[in-house]
Amino acid sequence: MEKNKDVWIAGITRGHNGSLCLLKNGEIVFIIEEERLTRLKYDATPFAGMTKILEFTDHLDYLVYAHTATRAQFCPTVDYTGE
């Protein structure tokens, strides 16, 4: 990785009260629950929040994804080993 390059990390959570957090070099830049953008109580899919990322950066170095269900419940076709 280049020296002095900004590191952008987005954390996305689905499920009850979907939300998104954007960090730049470990500092919070933006965080919001999806229902604040869509005005739909308990909105579980943070699509509007994901588009907000573009207001701050045009790339991500890391994407962290969390869900309140098991992998098999929300995406049974993904074969992820964790390696």
Side-chain angles (χ1 to χ4, degrees):
M1 192 176 284
E2 297 175 23
K3 198 171 193 174
N4 298 324
K5 181 182 176 232
D6 291 329
V7 177
W8 290 92
I9 302 170
I12 299 171
T13 184
R14 289 194 58 218
H16 182 75
N17 290 339
S19 59
L20 179 127
C21 179
L22 181 66
L23 296 107
K24 177 182 175 185
N25 300 325
E27 298 290 325
I28 295 174
V29 174
F30 176 74
I31 187 168
I32 196 160
E33 284 188 334
E34 187 71 2
E35 67 180 35
R36 302 295 177 215
L37 298 170
T38 63
R39 303 291 188 216
L40 300 171
K41 192 73 171 161
Y42 309 122
D43 195 345
T45 45
F47 295 128
M50 286 188 271
T51 61
K52 284 286 198 183
I53 289 174
L54 297 173
E55 295 178 15
F56 300 95
T57 184
D58 62 354
H59 81 278
L60 292 175
D61 296 295
Y62 300 96
L63 176 64
V64 180
Y65 180 80
H67 197 282
T68 56
T70 66
R71 179 194 55 81
Q73 289 173 315
F74 76 90
C75 193
T77 60
V78 175
D79 186 20
Y80 177 69
T81 63
E83 295 177 355

